[in-house]
Amino acid sequence: MAYQNAAEMCNSKIVTEYLCRNGFSVEPKKVKHNNETSKKEDEDEVRLADIEAAYTTVLRGLGENTNRPGLLRTPRRAAKAMQFLTKGYHETVYDILNEAIFDEDHDELVIVKDIDMFSLCEHHLVPFFGKVHIGYLPNKKVVGLSKLARIVEVYSRRLQVQERLTKQIAVAISEALQPAGVAVVIEAAHMCMVMRGVQKMNSCTVTSVMLGVFREDPKTREEFMTLIKRP
């Protein structure tokens, strides 16, 4: 019995260290009860009021009359929109991937391309948007395909720069699946370049992150790049 308890403690320690090393919480996932949900809703409502007040100040700073009919509810609408556009701060990859990683004897390239992406530039708080292409070479584990799009949502629904967003997506997939390699390419238009600044309407920003075999093997990288360009 003592030997069994010691073995269980050892296994528990190994699992805990693995989870911590790969960016996952070691706390068991909790089911939200009504009182917990109500508390979160109360906190969100308090934050909403603060954001609403800030938008009211901004509108007045622009010289607008916030009491005119067209703007009476604009600060609240804008506050709710901003909460939605940044909801990724309150989501984790662990929650997204829970029970969606499967053992599978597959070691060939998996690609999900043309994932719609919308985010906010952290420098000007204006949108940038485009497509995300993801590829990975499984190492006996695969993930539900829709979860790759959900990972994009987790990180894009925050204040971002495209370079960091690309890396965060790639690293999250790599840490969760431990594949032979991960490739992520993002093509996006930035409103901070289109609506203001240099005002270049047709500019497109492309960023990529290659991990594992995609970085080390030119043929694998070329295969991925060729496939994502096909219509």
Side-chain angles (χ1 to χ4, degrees):
M1 181 64 71
Y3 175 80
Q4 182 179 359
N5 291 339
E8 290 176 352
M9 290 176 63
C10 180
N11 289 337
S12 176
K13 182 178 179 181
I14 291 173
V15 171
T16 299
E17 290 177 350
Y18 173 83
L19 290 173
C20 290
R21 187 168 60 251
N22 289 279
F24 293 115
S25 170
V26 297
E27 295 294 329
K29 191 174 180 180
K30 298 179 180 179
V31 177
K32 291 183 179 179
H33 299 292
N34 289 337
N35 59 338
E36 292 177 339
T37 302
S38 298
K39 182 179 179 181
K40 183 181 184 305
E41 290 175 349
D42 290 342
E43 291 175 351
D44 288 345
E45 192 65 27
V46 170
R47 296 190 184 100
L48 182 64
D50 291 339
I51 301 171
E52 180 181 358
Y55 273 114
T56 300
T57 300
V58 168
L59 289 171
R60 289 172 179 168
L62 294 174
E64 273 287 0
N65 174 15
T66 55
N67 292 319
R68 70 178 177 86
L71 291 179
L72 282 177
R73 295 188 56 80
T74 295
R76 190 165 189 85
R77 293 191 194 100
K80 286 184 176 181
M82 183 58 73
Q83 281 190 328
F84 175 79
L85 295 174
T86 58
K87 64 187 180 71
Y89 286 119
H90 308 293
E91 299 174 340
T92 68
V93 173
Y94 178 82
D95 293 331
I96 295 300
L97 297 183
N98 190 31
E99 300 180 357
I101 297 176
F102 309 100
D103 295 326
E104 189 67 39
D105 187 18
H106 182 78
D107 58 2
E108 297 295 333
L109 185 57
V110 176
I111 296 176
V112 178
K113 65 177 186 176
D114 295 329
I115 301 170
D116 291 325
M117 178 277 300
F118 301 89
S119 192
L120 289 177
C121 165
E122 68 178 27
H123 299 145
H124 303 99
L125 301 186
V126 295
F128 67 94
F129 56 92
K131 302 288 186 180
V132 181
H133 314 292
I134 298 173
Y136 73 96
L137 272 172
N139 186 17
K140 308 303 182 182
K141 289 186 181 295
V142 298
V143 65
L145 297 179
S146 67
K147 301 304 181 182
L148 296 177
R150 293 291 302 278
I151 291 175
V152 173
E153 280 286 292
V154 168
Y155 291 109
S156 63
R157 295 302 188 180
R158 304 178 183 185
L159 302 183
Q160 278 288 8
V161 295
Q162 185 173 328
E163 297 87 342
R164 182 172 66 235
L165 174 60
T166 312
K167 186 172 184 179
Q168 285 178 332
I169 294 170
V171 170
I173 296 169
S174 181
E175 291 182 346
L177 295 180
Q178 298 293 306
V182 178
V184 177
V185 172
I186 298 180
E187 304 171 89
H190 291 247
M191 289 299 99
C192 58
M193 290 183 63
V194 174
M195 295 178 65
R196 58 165 301 282
V198 294
Q199 299 182 53
K200 300 302 180 183
M201 299 295 294
N202 298 313
S203 64
C204 178
T205 301
V206 181
T207 52
S208 70
V209 171
M210 305 288 165
L211 302 178
V213 69
F214 289 98
R215 176 182 287 269
E216 300 161 1
D217 183 5
K219 290 185 178 179
T220 304
R221 183 167 61 251
E222 182 181 355
E223 179 184 6
F224 169 75
M225 297 301 291
T226 299
L227 288 173
I228 66 174
K229 291 176 182 176
R230 288 184 177 179

